[in-house]
Amino acid sequence: MEPEDKPRSMHIRERSNNGILERLDAGEVVVGDGGYVLQLERRGYVKAGHWTPEAAVEHPEAVRQLHREFLRAGADVMQTFTFYCSEDKLELSGNINDAACNLAREVADEGGALVAGGVSQTPCYVQSHNETEVKAIFKKQMDNFLKKDIDFLIVEYFEHVEEAVWAVEVLKTSGKTVAATLCIAPQGDRHRVPPGECAVRLVKAGADIVGINCHLDPMTCVRTVKLMKEGLEKAGLKAHLMIQPLGFHTPECNLGGYVSLPEYPFALETRAMTRWDIHKYAREAYNAGIRYIGGCCGFEPYHIRAIAEELATERGFLPPASEKHGLWGAALEMHTKPWVRARAHREYWENLLPASGRPKCPSMATPANDGLTEK
C-alpha cells in the first residue's frame, strides 16, 4: 500500500509502552527528535558560539513548545536539552540538567515517549586529556539524570572516540541502557580512527546502541553507520544502530563537518533539507538496518514528521501532525490553481530538483580546513 493510500485510522494506534531496548529488540522503528540549539538560536533563546542550554531555566516555555512539536510530529524520544552542559563549560549545569529533565518528562508523558539524558564532549578533554577529570564531569551529569529517573542515556556529539568510550564507561555504571553516537565522517574520528573500529570500542565499553549524529548530511551519516555495522560484524559484536544527522546538505565537508563551512552558523538556510529529502533518508536508513532514526541540528518538526510518514507502514501508525498534512502533497488536490493541483502526487515531489533562487551563488563552498585535530 502506497503512503498516500494509507487509511487515516492509522492515527489512532497508541505508541509502545516498552523501554528503548525492548522496542528495538522487537524490531520496532524508534523515531528520534530533532535539533534544539540551532532552532532555539533562530527563535532567540540560545546564543550562538556558546551554544549552551540556559533556555531550559530562562525560557522553559520555549523548550517545552519545541519538545511538543517534535512529539506531535512523531518522535518517540524526548532528549533532555542538556547539550554541552558539562560543569567545565557552564557553572549552572546542575540546575539546567534538572530543569531540562523536568521539561522532557512533562512532554514525553503527554504522548507515551521516552526520555533520554544526553552528555556531550567536554572542553577539558582537548585541553588536558585527563581521564579522571573528564570522567568526573560525566559522572556528575549522570548522577543528576539518575535523580530524575530518565529512561536511558545518550553519549552524543563526540569527535574523539577515546572520550566517547570514557563517557560510555561512566554512564554504563548507572544500570541504564546507553546509546553512543559520534559526530564523525566516513574517514573516521578526528584522529582518523575508522568508524568500524570506533563502533567496536564503544560496544566493548558497554554501549547498547551505536551510531552517528550531527556534523554531516543524512546520506553521509548513513554511509558512516554502515561502516560501523561492518566493523561490528567483523568483530562478532552486536548492537542496535542509531542515526541523527544534520538537516543540511554538506557534500563538500571534511572531518570538521559543517562547522567548517563558511555559511555556519548564520546562513545555513540555503542548505536546508526538504521534507522529501528526509523521506529518502529515512528509507535509506531503514534499508541499512538502522532502527533508531532521528535528526540533529537543522531538523525541524516537519522533518521528523517526514520520517514518521515514510515509515508509517513499518510503525503501523501516523503521527498527530499528519492530520494537517496530505501525504505526498495529496491535500493540494483542493488548490484553486490547476498547475498546483497537478503536484498532488508522490512522483512529482520525489523527482523535484529544487532551485535555490540565488543566481550568483556557487553550488559548493570551500571548507575552512581539513578538520584534523590539533592534539
Side-chain angles (χ1 to χ4, degrees):
M1 182 179 291
E2 290 298 313
E4 55 262 56
D5 297 325
K6 290 189 180 76
R8 290 290 167 174
S9 62
M10 292 180 71
H11 286 289
I12 65 174
R13 176 174 162 179
E14 295 183 359
R15 301 167 191 259
S16 169
N17 291 321
N18 291 332
I20 185 65
L21 280 187
E22 292 172 300
R23 299 183 191 200
L24 293 171
D25 287 343
E28 292 183 27
V29 176
V30 173
V31 176
D33 55 6
Y36 286 82
V37 287
L38 281 189
Q39 290 306 107
L40 289 168
E41 188 280 329
R42 289 173 173 179
R43 299 178 185 189
Y45 299 104
V46 167
K47 184 177 290 186
H50 203 210
W51 299 121
T52 49
E54 294 98 329
V57 172
E58 297 173 346
H59 299 283
E61 73 285 354
V63 179
R64 183 185 295 112
Q65 178 61 27
L66 191 51
H67 276 311
R68 282 186 176 140
E69 290 178 18
F70 285 129
L71 182 72
R72 177 176 166 78
D76 296 306
V77 177
M78 297 289 103
Q79 285 191 227
T80 57
F81 185 43
T82 51
F83 172 75
Y84 229 177
C85 193
S86 58
E87 190 175 38
D88 61 334
K89 177 70 176 178
L90 193 64
E91 291 182 2
L92 299 173
S93 60
N95 292 335
I96 292 175
N97 279 332
D98 287 348
C101 287
N102 291 340
L103 290 169
R105 175 60 69 192
E106 175 188 346
V107 177
D109 286 349
E110 294 173 0
L114 300 171
V115 174
V119 302
S120 50
Q121 60 184 329
T122 64
C124 77
Y125 172 78
V126 175
Q127 294 164 2
S128 70
H129 283 75
N130 186 309
E131 181 177 355
T132 300
E133 182 182 4
V134 172
K135 283 187 170 181
I137 292 171
F138 293 140
K139 186 179 185 307
K140 188 164 186 177
Q141 289 178 279
M142 178 188 73
D143 290 342
N144 284 331
F145 287 137
L146 293 179
K147 290 176 184 176
K148 295 296 181 178
D149 193 32
I150 47 83
D151 296 303
F152 68 103
L153 295 159
I154 298 181
V155 171
E156 71 167 0
Y157 199 77
F158 281 79
E159 299 171 292
H160 305 270
V161 69
E162 179 182 57
E163 186 184 16
V165 165
W166 293 350
V168 171
E169 289 173 346
V170 172
L171 267 54
K172 196 63 181 178
T173 64
S174 68
K176 299 280 187 179
T177 297
V178 176
T181 56
L182 305 174
C183 53
I184 65 173
Q187 297 92 329
D189 78 348
R190 286 298 191 98
H191 286 96
R192 292 191 182 273
V193 178
E197 183 179 339
C198 288
V200 168
R201 292 188 189 182
L202 291 170
V203 172
K204 287 184 175 180
D208 305 288
I209 307 164
V210 296
I212 295 296
N213 81 294
C214 208
H215 263 205
L216 293 162
D217 62 78
M219 294 308 186
T220 301
C221 288
V222 170
R223 281 172 40 215
T224 309
V225 176
K226 286 181 179 179
L227 293 172
M228 298 179 88
K229 182 181 179 182
E230 290 174 7
L232 292 174
E233 290 173 347
K234 289 179 181 178
L237 298 172
K238 292 184 178 180
H240 291 290
L241 302 175
M242 174 178 177
I243 186 168
Q244 299 205 113
L246 284 182
F248 305 111
H249 293 277
T250 61
E252 71 275 59
C253 272
N254 48 42
L255 289 176
Y258 80 133
V259 297
S260 64
L261 291 173
E263 297 91 349
Y264 174 86
F266 299 127
L268 289 165
E269 289 83 355
T270 58
R271 293 175 173 270
M273 291 274 170
T274 69
R275 66 194 70 191
W276 315 118
D277 292 325
I278 301 305
H279 273 269
K280 294 176 184 177
Y281 146 65
R283 182 55 56 190
E284 187 75 14
Y286 183 86
N287 289 343
I290 304 168
R291 293 296 178 267
Y292 189 138
I293 304 172
C296 199
C297 296
F299 264 73
E300 299 187 37
Y302 73 93
H303 292 121
I304 299 303
R305 181 178 63 189
I307 297 174
E309 290 182 348
E310 175 62 31
L311 300 174
T313 296
E314 289 79 7
R315 299 177 81 209
F317 64 98
L318 287 163
S322 292
E323 294 174 359
K324 296 295 184 180
H325 186 237
L327 299 181
W328 292 102
L332 295 180
E333 292 175 351
M334 301 170 61
H335 204 279
T336 58
K337 302 293 189 290
W339 61 89
V340 178
R341 288 201 300 273
R343 300 169 185 169
H345 60 91
R346 179 173 183 162
E347 184 180 5
Y348 177 86
W349 296 109
E350 276 194 323
N351 295 312
L352 179 69
L353 297 175
S356 72
R358 298 173 181 270
K360 294 185 179 180
C361 288
S363 61
M364 304 277 260
T366 303
N369 56 55
D370 67 2
L372 287 171
T373 188
E374 293 79 18
K375 293 186 179 182

